[in-house]
Amino acid sequence: MAKTATLEIEGKKYEFPLVEGTENEVAIDIKNLRASTNGYITLDSGYKNTGSCESAITFLDGEQGILRYRGYAIEELAEKADFLEVAYLLIFGELPTKEQSDKFHNDIKKESAVDEDVKKILDAFPKAAHPMGVISSLTSALTAFNPSSVNVNSEEDMYKSVVRILGKMPVLVAWTMRKKQGLPLDYGDNSLGYVENLLKMMFSRPNSCYVQNPVLVNAMDKLLILHADHEQNCSTSTVRIVGSSHAGLFASISAGISALWGPLHGGANQAVLEMLKAIEADGGDTKKYMAKAKDKSDPFRLMGFGHRVYKNFDPRARIIKKAADQVLHDLGIEDPILEIAKGLEKEALEDQYFVDRKLYPNVDFYSGIIYRAMEIPVEMFTVMFAIGRLPGWIAQWREMRLRKEPIGRPRQLYIGETKRSFVPIEER
Ligand code: SDX
């Protein structure tokens, strides 16, 4: 393969090196473009064609519908691994041995206590506050309660921040949900597994003994694994660019949570359920919503469909769709919303507009069906995405810091007013 790409500008040729990844992807390295062409830059709104970094964490092939964490297929990990194993794999690059896994979990348990004063911040939020805004604020507040997590430079300091946020996030997530429900906060039980403890903190009741349901534990574990990382998506890119200024891990994750909140990104799982419920209220009239989704004058989009990278089925959607059937069956739930979702999927997959644009169901299309079966409030759906994505954000932040990546600072093409003189107000 040629080792360079040639760019010709006004009759002059410039050579730029080609860089090849381990999965035969090739990038044009333009780090010297502006200097060597006396000021030319590239322009790529939404970074659809622009690589922001080299990464060894997650590989996805949008055309083939392939997703691998550190080389392991998502299908295998969802079937055979547990969430904390996958978190370790993403962050440190290898599946843990039994000893490594036990030490990792114990270190996380040691950090699972949250300062009582955090409750004062939680109490200050109105009940109507969206949980994503609450959890983003509480995550940022962790910096105040753990000041040594701000300036981390050594791997040892990073490790302390990593286990701290993995220990405290499940508590913050559960407390955020319970506060909204007017329930007393649950402090968890460190004798439980990571996911079991999360479920207990979310669903325990003060007047009864919480009994773990293996169907829910398995479903939650699988959902968290499927959300754990997804290379340079919007929220992960946010975590990396905020962290590139050497802001701490908690502050960077808090920014990522805010980016995930948007309905075009992680907020889509809540928007899908609201859309399906609107269709149900409309007598199941999927055709009306398909027409709205295709009408350019209508801002409505078919939520849970389409993807910046996947131009084939999102492999996670396939797994979640199967899991949704299984969970509803195991819980003995007949949910008409699932049938509406399946009907909508069938229609969209046969519709020329969607076929031409390669719009397939994405990770958010079916996940809400399972969260709903687990009696998680719809406003908490994106928070569940966030706690799943936490290991990925951590892994990507840590990789960026260990690789000593430069501060992220894109260029722009200025299209505003050219130089003009100030005019006193009486002359305007
Ligand atoms: C996630 O990046 C990641 O990896 C994200 C994620 C992760 O794990 O981190 O996978 C998680 O965010 C999944 C996506 C969840 N969002 C939604 O489900 C919201 C609905 N989807 C769309 O808004 C849209 O598909 C995006 C935002 C996901 C992708 O948008 P792009 O890549 O910018 O594509 P586009 O807007 O340029 O669309 C191309 C065409 C346009 O039509 P034309 O101008 O060519 O005529 O497809 C149309 C769009 O109007 N289109 C849709 C559509 N998605 C795209 N039309 C109707 N319904 C949709 N859902």
Side-chain angles (χ1 to χ4, degrees):
M1 176 195 75
K3 293 297 177 208
T4 59
T6 304
L7 182 63
E8 183 167 341
I9 303 174
E10 291 159 3
K12 194 168 176 221
K13 291 189 176 181
Y14 304 86
E15 302 282 317
F16 298 98
L18 295 181
V19 186
E20 189 167 349
T22 51
E23 288 285 354
N24 305 318
E25 298 165 308
V26 181
I28 304 169
D29 182 343
I30 57 165
K31 65 170 163 297
N32 296 320
L33 171 69
R34 191 167 184 278
S36 58
T37 60
N38 194 21
Y40 281 82
I41 62 168
T42 58
L43 190 60
D44 184 20
S45 172
Y47 310 114
K48 294 190 177 187
N49 306 281
T50 300
S52 61
C53 62
E54 292 174 308
S55 178
I57 298 169
T58 290
F59 170 71
L60 62 91
D61 179 323
E63 281 66 40
Q64 305 293 319
I66 292 170
L67 173 58
R68 298 190 200 121
Y69 296 162
R70 299 285 190 182
Y72 295 96
I74 191 65
E75 294 80 2
E76 261 204 295
L77 293 171
E79 196 54 46
K80 301 173 181 171
D82 68 39
F83 179 57
L84 225 44
E85 238 178 332
V86 169
Y88 188 98
L89 169 69
L90 285 168
I91 296 167
F92 302 109
E94 298 295 338
L95 287 168
T97 62
K98 180 80 175 60
E99 295 69 31
Q100 288 166 331
S101 176
D102 291 346
K103 177 182 185 312
F104 189 50
H105 197 183
N106 288 331
D107 291 345
I108 289 168
K109 287 178 178 180
K110 284 177 203 155
E111 291 291 348
S112 59
V114 170
D115 191 298
E116 280 293 292
D117 282 349
V118 168
K119 288 162 65 174
K120 292 177 186 158
I121 304 172
L122 187 61
D123 288 342
F125 283 99
K127 262 212 177 68
H130 193 288
M132 283 296 276
V134 175
I135 205 75
S136 173
S137 308
L138 294 180
T139 302
S140 186
L142 283 180
T143 304
F145 293 94
N146 303 277
S148 64
S149 287
V150 179
N151 298 313
V152 291
N153 291 305
S154 70
E155 282 206 56
E156 191 194 349
D157 288 348
M158 280 184 206
Y159 181 79
K160 282 190 194 125
S161 290
V162 166
V163 292
R164 259 187 193 140
I165 196 160
L166 283 168
K168 299 177 191 318
M169 189 60 80
V171 184
L172 300 181
V173 163
W175 283 10
T176 298
M177 182 169 117
R178 296 177 77 96
K179 173 79 172 59
K180 203 167 173 62
Q181 294 172 325
L183 287 167
L185 304 182
D186 182 304
Y187 286 77
D189 175 352
N190 272 346
S191 69
L192 297 173
Y194 193 80
V195 172
E196 287 87 343
N197 196 27
L198 171 65
L199 290 172
K200 177 199 181 289
M201 289 190 284
M202 289 172 70
F203 294 108
S204 72
R205 291 294 180 269
N207 51 2
S208 64
C209 175
Y210 181 70
V211 179
Q212 294 285 346
N213 179 336
V215 173
L216 302 189
V217 174
N218 184 44
M220 180 60 86
D221 199 72
K222 194 183 287 266
L223 281 168
L224 294 176
I225 289 171
L226 291 167
H227 286 81
D229 194 53
H230 214 240
E231 53 131 283
Q232 303 313 312
N233 60 83
C234 178
S235 55
T236 299
S237 299
T238 302
V239 170
R240 283 184 84 118
I241 202 163
V242 168
S244 73
S245 74
H246 287 195
L249 177 59
F250 304 161
S252 305
I253 299 281
S254 172
I257 292 170
S258 297
L260 186 72
W261 191 355
L264 295 187
H265 190 12
N269 59 14
Q270 173 178 343
V272 166
L273 229 294
E274 287 161 353
M275 173 185 73
L276 294 173
K277 287 200 294 200
I279 293 173
E280 184 189 36
D282 235 343
D285 183 359
T286 50
K287 291 199 179 345
K288 173 179 164 187
Y289 287 82
M290 287 289 289
K292 278 171 63 70
K294 296 187 284 187
D295 176 356
K296 292 301 173 197
S297 64
D298 189 327
F300 175 81
R301 288 197 156 184
L302 204 63
M303 302 315 277
F305 260 80
H307 197 276
R308 170 59 56 78
V309 177
Y310 287 126
K311 300 308 171 192
N312 193 327
F313 245 91
D314 181 334
R316 301 167 296 177
R318 283 187 201 283
I319 299 169
I320 293 174
K321 179 180 177 181
K322 234 167 69 185
D325 270 326
Q326 188 64 50
V327 169
L328 293 184
H329 170 266
D330 293 349
L331 296 177
I333 297 172
E334 290 282 321
D335 187 350
I337 294 280
L338 177 60
E339 296 321 307
I340 292 176
K342 287 180 176 176
L344 200 55
E345 177 193 354
K346 185 174 182 310
E347 264 188 67
L349 293 178
E350 291 163 2
D351 183 285
Q352 209 50 48
Y353 173 98
F354 283 77
V355 171
D356 293 347
R357 290 164 181 78
K358 298 184 177 167
L359 303 177
Y360 290 87
N362 59 49
V363 66
D364 293 309
F365 190 64
Y366 283 105
S367 54
I369 304 280
I370 301 180
Y371 293 140
R372 181 175 142 95
M374 299 175 82
E375 296 181 359
I376 294 173
V378 67
E379 278 200 326
M380 283 293 293
F381 285 10
T382 312
V383 173
M384 302 322 296
F385 191 144
I387 193 166
R389 185 53 51 89
L390 183 58
W393 286 332
I394 292 170
Q396 300 269 353
W397 182 90
R398 184 173 175 275
E399 178 181 72
M400 174 275 303
R401 287 299 303 271
L402 292 179
R403 285 171 59 91
K404 301 193 183 328
E405 300 275 341
I407 187 169
R409 202 272 183 222
R411 291 276 179 169
Q412 65 164 23
L413 185 71
Y414 177 71
I415 55 171
E417 295 287 345
T418 52
K419 187 171 174 13
R420 52 184 174 165
S421 304
F422 183 81
V423 177
I425 193 161
E426 51 278 357
E427 295 171 23
R428 288 173 207 158

